[in-house]
Amino acid sequence: MQSSDLDTFKAWFTGYSQTFHTDDAEDNKNIDLKVRHTSLVRENAVLIAGEEHPGDNNVLIAETAALFHDVGRFAQYATYKTFRDNISVNHGRLGAEILREKEVLASVALHEQELIINTVQFHNAFQVPSFEDQQNVLFLQLIRDADKLDIWRIFAEYYESPEYDQASAVGLGLPDRPDYSQKVLSCLHKEILASLSDLKTLNDFKLMQLSWVYDLSFRHSFRLLAERNLIREIASTLPQTEEIAGALAVVEEFVSEKSGLKRH
Ligand SMILES: [Fe+2]
């Protein structure tokens, strides 16, 4: 693909996302949050692809997949007024359908269209599905890393902002109580992803987000995570108990080892 294709896609995305603005300030805050998220995931994807999967074409494909990864969010919000897939629709699958139906990617090679659409469709799957084509796996891992890095930023800001300033569709509606579940905490020690279905409180949700480090794929993603101090920012809003500190130490050790920043 050419960089002029990407310019056309960016213009399409801007026009498309703007059609979801309403005269309701709350709706617009939620829509704008996804527009800003998209642009920062694009930046992350370019940074990671530039380091890990270089080549002009690869970087263009990565940026296009990032541009469209959440394209399903707008129609999801318009219909259901939420970003929670479990009570509405799978926004990855919806995004892939929109790209196919509207033939947004028609100007680029067919196999590139498929790479981009598959990445959009599965970017939010619990785990990366298996693909015969290794390129599919690479781009999917790349966008999932780029996406997580920005989701951590959104939540670090969200947990610290006064309630009136929070975009309403961000939270999962879990109760903000002082307790947390041992099952979720234990995932941090086991170095595995925590499941949505085990979450009972907002603290569980924060712990689950910390467990996402175990799903990051690229060294450069770990570096960006460490540089931006996001783990510590989210952790600072958790109860300061000894067992949380212990689990956090495991997470931080994992990040510093994977980023290659650990001193021996
Ligand atoms: Fe998404």
Side-chain angles (χ1 to χ4, degrees):
M1 67 180 281
Q2 311 288 324
S3 63
S4 58
D5 293 312
L6 179 58
D7 293 338
T8 311
F9 299 152
K10 283 182 188 168
W12 183 89
F13 179 84
T14 302
Y16 177 76
S17 56
Q18 276 172 5
T19 64
F20 291 90
H21 278 131
T22 70
D23 40 24
D24 182 288
E26 192 58 48
D27 287 346
N28 293 342
K29 195 188 270 188
N30 286 311
I31 297 298
D32 292 345
L33 178 116
K34 288 299 170 191
V35 171
R36 179 159 148 75
H37 168 63
T38 294
S39 111
L40 293 171
V41 173
R42 265 179 39 218
E43 279 177 24
N44 290 338
V46 170
L47 289 173
I48 302 166
E51 288 286 326
E52 306 275 356
H53 206 31
D56 290 350
N57 208 39
N58 288 334
V59 178
L60 285 172
I61 293 172
E63 189 170 354
T64 305
L67 173 69
F68 290 132
H69 83 286
D70 263 356
V71 73
R73 285 300 196 186
F74 304 104
Q76 175 186 42
Y77 186 81
T79 309
Y80 302 98
K81 299 283 175 199
T82 184
F83 293 137
R84 290 165 63 182
D85 285 16
N86 61 337
I87 56 168
S88 59
V89 64
N90 180 323
H91 74 276
R93 201 179 307 145
L94 180 59
E97 271 167 28
I98 290 165
L99 293 177
R100 283 206 177 94
E101 262 168 33
K102 298 190 181 293
E103 299 182 359
V104 180
L105 300 166
S107 65
V108 304
L110 213 53
H111 78 278
E112 293 174 345
Q113 294 187 36
E114 281 310 304
L115 275 177
I116 294 161
I117 290 174
N118 281 332
T119 303
V120 171
Q121 179 160 351
F122 297 106
H123 82 274
N124 58 331
F126 185 69
Q127 269 163 342
V128 176
S130 56
F131 285 102
E132 269 182 34
D133 180 357
Q134 198 53 26
Q135 289 277 89
N136 264 312
V137 176
L138 266 172
F139 283 106
L140 199 45
Q141 288 175 327
L142 205 150
I143 296 306
R144 287 165 71 95
D145 280 18
D147 194 18
K148 283 193 181 71
L149 280 164
D150 196 59
I151 297 174
W152 279 313
R153 175 200 60 86
I154 291 173
F155 279 96
E157 287 175 8
Y158 175 74
Y159 298 137
E160 282 158 14
S161 70
E163 221 158 281
Y164 60 82
D165 205 26
Q166 297 176 351
S168 61
V170 169
L172 274 188
L174 291 162
D176 189 3
R177 307 193 308 238
D179 56 317
Y180 48 88
S181 307
Q182 290 300 324
K183 189 169 181 192
V184 181
L185 188 73
S186 72
C187 293
L188 300 186
H189 285 285
K190 291 183 200 153
E191 304 190 353
I192 56 170
L193 280 173
S195 311
L196 265 178
S197 55
D198 289 326
L199 310 184
K200 296 193 174 63
T201 68
L202 184 64
N203 285 329
D204 289 345
F205 185 65
K206 294 174 183 176
L207 293 170
M208 178 196 71
Q209 290 185 322
L210 299 184
S211 82
W212 289 351
V213 302
Y214 304 127
D215 192 50
L216 276 191
S217 299
F218 295 106
R219 170 174 288 205
H220 198 65
S221 312
F222 283 99
R223 291 211 165 157
L224 293 171
L225 174 60
E227 256 171 49
R228 296 173 186 179
N229 212 21
L230 293 165
I231 292 297
R232 216 159 282 170
E233 269 187 51
I234 292 175
S236 72
T237 69
L238 279 162
Q240 305 297 303
T241 64
E242 247 174 62
E243 56 182 3
I244 285 194
L248 190 64
V250 177
V251 171
E252 288 191 327
E253 175 73 11
F254 186 84
V255 173
S256 74
E257 233 166 64
K258 292 284 183 177
S259 60
L261 298 174
K262 194 182 170 191
R263 280 185 231 128
H264 291 280

